[in-house]
Amino acid sequence: MPKTELKNVIDIFCGAGGLSAGFSKAGYNIITGIDNNENSIETFRANHDCEPIVGDIQREGAISDIKDSVSQNGSNIENVDLVIGGPPCRGFSMANVRSDSAEHPLNELPARFLEIVQEINPEAVLIENVPRLLTIADGKFKESIIARLEEMGYSTTHGVLEAEKFGVPQKRRRVFFIGHKSVEPELPTQGEFKFQMPVTVKQAISDLPELPTGGGGEMRMEYSPNNSGISEYVAKMRRNEKKSIVMNHRTTRNQEKTYRRFKHIPQGGNWRDIPEDLMKNYTNRQQTHDHIYQRLDEDEPAKTVANFRKQMIVHPTQNRLLSVREAARLQSFPDDYHFKGSSFNARQQMVGDAVPVNLAYSIGKSLQNCHATSEISSV
């Protein structure tokens, strides 16, 4: 009899836990996560009711560590229904335009991910990555992932999803592969939320306290005293936050010369709006990306928030970079999701690397709907 209910989840390459947060919100039970970054593990542990694994899945004995962790969290590997994960995408990203070769070391990680899936043998699997994975090496990686899943007995689907259609105030594109052993899986076409979409930058972050010109702020701050008329999206993001405290609302402190650049950038503008005499250290302007010094348009969803410090993403109305909490809001992390780690830069990187929570939630709900359809048709 086909198994149509998925409940217990392992998150491989879990990062700060965006995928897990979305699936947990959709009603799944997160058994454990695994990542080799201790900052990510600390954040995952702080926000999920399970003990994650610090480790590299490429090393000998990785599957044994996963089985041990599952056991320590009160389950066993046979109870795992779904394995999810996003093998690190830097080998496929536009920032690595020379990595189209199959020999790029970071491009080996999806294959290793699938080896772990075969060992665990779950009912279903979800793989997340950047859309570039579909075309590099003449489509070799896309074809190999699909072929490998089918060899393991999974029916598959894949496609690129646009985050702003799924309750995320950000224009972010990600490719997802789903494999299922009992049903024909489907990707969602849009999210279902009780707020208007697409969510704009203003609707997502305008209630947060103003920060000093040029940057700064504190790890713990109170919400602005005048919070009347907050958006429906913000109301959802605040959910269980207690005592009017907002965490991680801190941003990079910039030098005076950087602050002077900010003043010249209109909403929707970028480094090209800055006078040349203030950009003398950018010697090769032809190779400067348009996303550098980009000021967000408050009436639109944000552009892709990756490493927003290195991108120099500028607040729509204040002359400073985004705070960690603002970037987390644009990734649809709720305000009670606290980012830990040994450094401020680590927290910035974790937020930028994460899968948006509402996008993950929509995929999780779609899988449940697929199950319900299968159950009805089999009666």
Side-chain angles (χ1 to χ4, degrees):
M1 182 176 178
K3 182 175 182 178
T4 56
E5 181 182 2
L6 304 179
K7 182 66 175 178
N8 297 317
V9 178
I10 289 179
D11 189 349
I12 299 177
F13 300 111
C14 62
L19 267 177
S20 285
F23 273 77
S24 178
K25 181 179 177 181
Y28 294 78
N29 175 41
I30 308 302
I31 295 180
T32 192
I34 180 171
D35 202 280
N36 65 356
N37 184 287
E38 293 189 1
N39 296 309
S40 296
I41 289 295
E42 184 181 356
T43 295
F44 192 97
R45 180 183 292 117
N47 294 282
H48 296 277
D49 189 21
C50 63
E51 182 58 32
I53 309 164
V54 183
D56 183 353
I57 70 165
Q58 295 192 87
R59 76 192 187 289
E60 290 289 333
I63 187 62
S64 295
D65 288 350
I66 293 173
K67 290 178 179 179
D68 289 345
S69 177
V70 170
S71 177
Q72 290 170 12
N73 286 325
S75 188
N76 59 66
I77 207 71
E78 289 77 20
N79 292 336
V80 175
D81 303 310
L82 174 63
V83 172
I84 62 177
C89 63
R90 293 187 183 93
F92 303 132
S93 71
M94 290 303 292
N96 289 279
V97 293
R98 296 180 182 177
S99 65
D100 284 5
S101 165
E103 287 73 36
H104 191 285
L106 288 177
N107 294 347
E108 298 174 358
L109 294 175
R112 179 57 179 148
F113 176 91
L114 290 172
E115 290 175 5
I116 296 293
V117 169
Q118 184 173 24
E119 288 271 5
I120 297 173
N121 192 32
E123 182 68 14
V125 57
L126 171 75
I127 304 171
E128 174 270 343
N129 219 291
V130 292
R132 187 173 173 79
L133 180 146
L134 298 176
T135 57
I136 66 168
D138 297 322
K140 175 180 178 179
F141 279 94
K142 176 192 73 174
E143 294 168 3
S144 64
I145 288 171
I146 294 170
R148 191 72 188 90
L149 288 171
E150 290 178 347
E151 287 173 5
M152 289 189 281
Y154 294 101
S155 297
T156 67
T157 189
H158 72 278
V160 176
L161 298 184
E162 301 172 354
E164 67 270 26
K165 294 181 179 179
F166 299 91
V168 180
Q170 182 188 167
K171 296 177 181 177
R172 192 182 187 99
R173 306 291 180 264
R174 284 297 182 269
V175 64
F176 293 88
F177 295 80
I178 298 178
H180 202 299
K181 289 192 173 181
S182 298
V183 302
E184 294 291 336
E186 296 180 359
L187 286 168
T189 56
Q190 63 181 23
E192 297 181 3
F193 296 92
K194 294 181 179 178
F195 49 78
Q196 185 177 356
M197 293 186 288
V199 182
T200 67
V201 171
K202 183 176 182 178
Q203 291 169 332
I205 68 172
S206 62
D207 67 301
L208 293 170
E210 186 169 346
L211 295 180
T213 295
E218 304 296 335
M219 279 293 293
R220 295 172 59 88
M221 299 182 70
E222 291 189 2
Y223 288 110
S224 299
N226 182 14
N227 289 321
S228 60
I230 62 174
S231 71
E232 293 175 317
Y233 178 83
V234 166
K236 295 293 185 182
M237 293 298 101
R238 290 191 178 191
R239 65 177 193 183
N240 299 322
E241 197 67 24
K242 299 177 180 179
K243 299 181 181 179
S244 300
I245 297 296
V246 59
M247 300 288 291
N248 299 124
H249 189 40
R250 180 186 169 204
T251 185
T252 302
R253 293 184 184 274
N254 295 116
Q255 298 177 1
E256 173 64 23
K257 65 178 181 180
T258 305
Y259 160 65
R260 289 170 59 202
R261 292 169 180 168
F262 292 158
K263 295 191 293 184
H264 294 277
I265 309 170
Q267 289 194 29
N270 59 22
W271 68 273
R272 297 180 187 277
D273 297 292
I274 302 171
E276 288 192 27
D277 65 315
L278 295 179
M279 296 287 286
K280 292 180 180 178
N281 58 319
Y282 284 77
T283 55
N284 192 342
R285 296 172 69 91
Q286 297 300 318
Q287 293 188 9
T288 301
H289 293 290
D290 285 344
H291 62 245
I292 298 295
Y293 281 100
Q294 182 180 88
R295 188 185 290 273
L296 298 179
D297 186 334
E298 63 183 345
D299 294 322
E300 298 285 340
K303 298 291 180 67
T304 300
V305 176
N307 187 314
F308 49 97
R309 177 182 62 86
K310 292 180 180 178
Q311 288 177 278
M312 302 294 286
I313 297 181
V314 185
H315 189 279
T317 60
Q318 300 172 38
N319 287 320
R320 59 172 178 81
L321 302 181
L322 290 179
S323 74
V324 171
R325 179 51 52 195
E326 286 164 340
R329 283 271 188 93
L330 297 177
Q331 288 274 58
S332 61
F333 279 98
D335 288 0
D336 59 3
Y337 204 98
H338 297 162
F339 294 90
K340 306 287 187 175
S342 60
S343 71
F344 179 46
N345 289 346
R347 292 187 285 274
Q348 291 175 314
Q349 185 71 57
M350 279 189 288
V351 175
D353 285 346
V355 176
V357 174
N358 283 352
L359 177 56
Y361 165 81
S362 296
I363 296 171
K365 296 299 289 185
S366 178
L367 275 171
Q368 291 170 345
N369 292 337
C370 179
H371 304 154
T373 301
S374 174
E375 288 171 346
I376 292 170
S377 64
S378 64
V379 174

